[in-house]
Amino acid sequence: MKTYAIAAIPGDGIGPEVVDAGVEVLEAVAKRDGGFGLRVDRFDWGGEYYKKHGRMMPENGRDLIRKHDAILFGSAGHPDIPDHITLWGLRLAICQPFDQYANVRPTRVLPGITSPLRAVDGPELDWVIVRENSEGEYAGVGGRVHQGSPLEAATDVAMFTRAGVERIMRFAFGLARSRSRKFLTVVTKSNAQRHAMVMWDEIATQIAAEFPDVTWDKMLVDAMTMRMVMRPQTLDTIVATNLHADILSDLAAVLAGSLGIAPTANLNPERAFPSMFEPIHGSAFDIMGKGIANPIGTFWSSVMMLEHFGEQAAAARLMRAIEKVTGDRRLHTPDLGGTARTADVTAAVIDAIHGANV
């Protein structure tokens, strides 16, 4: 029997609460299916580790998780530590060296959840956003000079390489091909950014020739926000830069009902390194310890992890269990307008996993 090694990194805020729930659910579905096992190793890195050691993770942290099959990540962000330190010291310190260049964020309205869009409750919103996850605006190239003086200057340079854009375009077109509509929207800003974004557009056209069965169109990012709200049914698969997709995917999650339900996969498609799976909601320190964090985003991320492992039956079973639970409004957490607690939702999903009809 195959045993998958998972590195669990809860991080900060509600991260430990939802990661613990995610591990419970993964163990339940592994037990139900019986065809594979799990070994979960926990790494308590994050803000509290930083307070003790002056860094978010140990110097050899990546070596400790490099051989794991996947990473289950909670959140990075601490009110006592600047955000750029928490992000670059933990999440990006894993994503970039492990070349997790394809960030995949599915979005749809789950049963029992009503989109704030136009009281849409159903198939009108069913997207997957592909975010370039290794370069662009988050490449980390830049600096500050003359700090504190009237001449102070700062730069953050958006770096785009042909290799980086080609591979994310090829991944996005391939993903679009695998979906029923076979339709991709390429998000850009080439009217104002006349170098890198023009290259982005040109490469999209070149890669599109490799996928003649995929229909595609192009959208400026500002107009894209309007299209997501006013014409959601015209979208399916979306590809955008690191910054643009970061923003658009948060909008997409809220349009689907809540940030608390939104999943993410940070993929290294070539599998040279472990991929990382996480909810997108962040550390949410305002509700930490209250027991009301929505674990659905972590559960859905766990579905994506199982799909990555090739455990399609287990992934489908877990997704059906999630949909059964969200369909019961008594099990909605406060972010969805309900009063359920994290433990209630977790127990209900586990019960559904072991149910006869899931």
Side-chain angles (χ1 to χ4, degrees):
M1 182 174 70
K2 172 69 174 177
T3 297
Y4 299 103
I6 299 172
I9 306 175
D12 300 314
I14 63 171
E17 300 169 54
V18 296
V19 165
D20 287 350
V23 169
E24 282 188 63
V25 163
L26 279 167
E27 289 175 341
V29 77
K31 182 179 180 180
R32 167 67 193 267
D33 276 65
F36 64 95
L38 302 174
R39 191 193 85 225
V40 180
D41 299 317
R42 184 181 175 113
F43 299 89
D44 290 316
W45 303 336
E48 295 305 314
Y49 187 93
Y50 179 89
K51 288 182 176 182
K52 296 177 182 176
H53 304 282
R55 54 188 303 135
M56 295 290 289
M57 59 187 279
E59 191 171 353
N60 68 335
R62 284 189 299 273
D63 292 334
L64 297 176
I65 62 177
R66 185 183 302 271
K67 299 301 183 181
H68 284 74
D69 294 296
I71 303 160
L72 182 63
F73 188 82
S75 63
H78 195 289
D80 299 334
I81 305 168
D83 286 342
H84 68 280
I85 291 176
T86 59
L87 182 64
W88 282 95
L90 189 56
R91 185 183 177 278
L92 291 183
I94 295 170
C95 281
Q96 292 197 347
F98 281 175
D99 204 20
Q100 296 167 353
Y101 64 84
N103 178 286
V104 180
R105 298 187 171 188
T107 303
R108 60 186 174 89
V109 182
L110 296 177
I113 297 174
T114 300
S115 167
L117 203 54
R118 273 177 278 153
V120 174
D121 191 357
E124 217 177 82
L125 198 162
D126 185 0
W127 310 327
V128 58
I129 297 177
V130 176
R131 169 185 174 187
E132 199 293 313
N133 209 34
S134 66
E135 52 180 42
E137 303 85 354
Y138 297 173
V141 178
R144 293 173 68 182
V145 295
H146 309 304
Q147 287 182 245
S149 82
L151 298 177
E152 182 172 357
T155 61
D156 275 296
V157 180
M159 296 293 295
F160 294 88
T161 65
R162 172 166 286 275
V165 179
E166 283 183 350
R167 68 182 184 176
I168 200 62
M169 285 295 176
R170 196 167 278 117
F171 179 91
F173 271 97
L175 182 58
R177 171 184 275 172
S178 73
R179 287 167 60 84
S180 60
R181 292 179 62 185
K182 294 181 172 24
F183 180 68
L184 177 69
T185 298
V186 177
V187 178
T188 186
K189 191 58 181 169
S190 50
N191 59 340
Q193 295 174 284
R194 58 198 178 105
H195 302 298
M197 288 286 86
V198 170
M199 184 180 79
W200 176 271
D201 290 350
E202 291 172 353
I203 291 173
T205 301
Q206 293 162 13
I207 299 300
E210 301 175 17
F211 298 86
D213 54 331
V214 176
T215 304
W216 71 289
D217 63 6
K218 186 175 71 171
M219 204 77 189
L220 295 176
V221 65
D222 45 342
M224 184 64 171
T225 61
M226 294 186 287
R227 182 173 172 183
M228 289 169 68
V229 173
M230 300 303 296
R231 296 188 294 134
Q233 71 279 6
T234 69
L235 296 166
D236 186 78
T237 310
I238 300 158
V239 63
T241 70
N242 218 333
L243 175 62
H244 292 162
D246 190 6
I247 296 167
L248 293 177
S249 57
D250 276 14
L251 172 59
V254 172
L255 294 178
S258 169
L259 280 176
I261 64 174
T264 299
N266 301 285
L267 300 178
N268 173 249
E270 292 75 23
R271 299 174 187 262
F273 302 97
S275 295
M276 184 162 69
F277 302 83
E278 60 175 323
I280 75 169
H281 53 55
S283 53
F285 262 80
D286 57 324
I287 61 169
M288 181 184 71
K290 295 182 179 180
I292 57 172
N294 192 339
I296 293 296
T298 304
F299 298 162
W300 196 348
S301 299
S302 299
V303 170
M304 300 179 79
M305 179 189 292
L306 292 170
E307 290 171 342
H308 183 69
F309 289 160
E311 301 292 347
Q312 302 297 338
R317 186 185 305 281
L318 177 52
M319 197 68 224
R320 289 194 299 271
I322 291 168
E323 291 173 339
K324 181 177 181 180
V325 169
T326 63
D328 185 346
R329 295 178 189 269
R330 295 171 299 176
L331 293 168
H332 287 189
T333 44
D335 59 302
L336 294 171
T339 59
R341 300 179 63 79
T342 310
D344 300 329
V345 180
T346 304
V349 169
I350 290 172
D351 285 346
I353 288 169
H354 292 295
N357 298 321
V358 172

